[in-house]
């Protein structure tokens, strides 16, 4: 592993919005960490399966016009493989096919975008008042 820098500064609109080690900044974006998958199931069926796995609270479901259901499960990316296995077998047990699955880990670019966009949104809200 190569270490390029020990600390990162993120400045937006002349203000310091973050200063920390890269790995700590990436943890700020825990919501981006997780597993995205597409399943052939109704939302109620998926909710039932996810509730049994105790994953439903950290999920978002988006029904597509194609009859497929896109799901994002928030998860600790270090344990993504185990979560993927649990999801696969739980949906397979109910005869519901997972047709696509990928894990995602937040990176410094995600952190930068989130922090600088959040700062811009706050500024625009203040200007409206």
């Amino acid at each position: 592993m190569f270490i390029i820098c020990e600390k990162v500064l993120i400045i937006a609109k002349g203000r310091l919005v973050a200063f920390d080690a890269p790995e700590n900044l990436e943890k700020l974006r825990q919501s981006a960490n997780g597993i995205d998958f597409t399943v052939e199931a109704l939302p109620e069926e998926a909710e039932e399966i996810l509730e049994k796995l105790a994953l439903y609270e950290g999920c978002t479901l988006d029904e597509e016009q194609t009859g497929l259901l896109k799901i994002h499960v928030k998860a600790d990316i270090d344990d993504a493989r185990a979560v993927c296995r649990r999801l696969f077998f739980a949906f397979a047990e109910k005869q519901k096919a997972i047709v696509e699955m990928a894990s995602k880990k937040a990176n410094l670019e995600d952190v930068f975008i989130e922090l600088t966009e959040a700062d811009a949104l706050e500024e625009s809200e203040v200007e409206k008042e």
Side-chain angles (χ1 to χ4, degrees), residues 3-111:
I3 298 176
I4 296 173
C5 61
E6 292 180 16
K7 299 279 184 179
V8 174
L9 283 153
I10 298 178
I11 300 171
K13 305 282 186 189
R15 283 187 19 214
L16 178 66
V17 293
F19 175 62
D20 210 337
E23 58 273 7
N24 292 337
L25 291 173
E26 288 170 354
K27 289 177 186 173
L28 288 175
R29 281 283 295 165
Q30 284 296 329
S31 63
N33 291 344
I35 297 153
D36 293 315
F37 64 103
T38 305
V39 64
E40 292 176 343
L42 297 172
E44 312 79 58
E45 296 168 326
E47 288 170 4
E48 181 183 323
I49 294 167
L50 294 166
E51 282 175 3
K52 285 183 182 175
L53 295 174
L55 295 172
Y56 183 64
E57 300 238 346
C59 291
T60 56
L61 287 77
D62 184 28
E63 197 169 5
E64 296 197 326
Q65 292 177 349
T66 59
L68 297 174
L69 186 63
K70 285 192 173 264
I71 303 172
H72 174 78
V73 176
K74 294 178 191 175
D76 179 1
I77 209 64
D78 294 331
D79 198 24
R81 185 174 181 190
V83 175
C84 286
R85 288 179 54 79
R86 288 177 56 208
L87 288 167
F88 172 82
F89 287 115
F91 279 87
E93 181 180 309
K94 297 289 184 179
Q95 304 279 316
K96 302 297 170 190
I98 293 176
V99 296
E100 191 173 55
M101 184 181 284
S103 61
K104 181 177 183 339
K105 182 180 189 295
N107 57 34
L108 284 177
E109 181 180 4
D110 294 327
V111 173

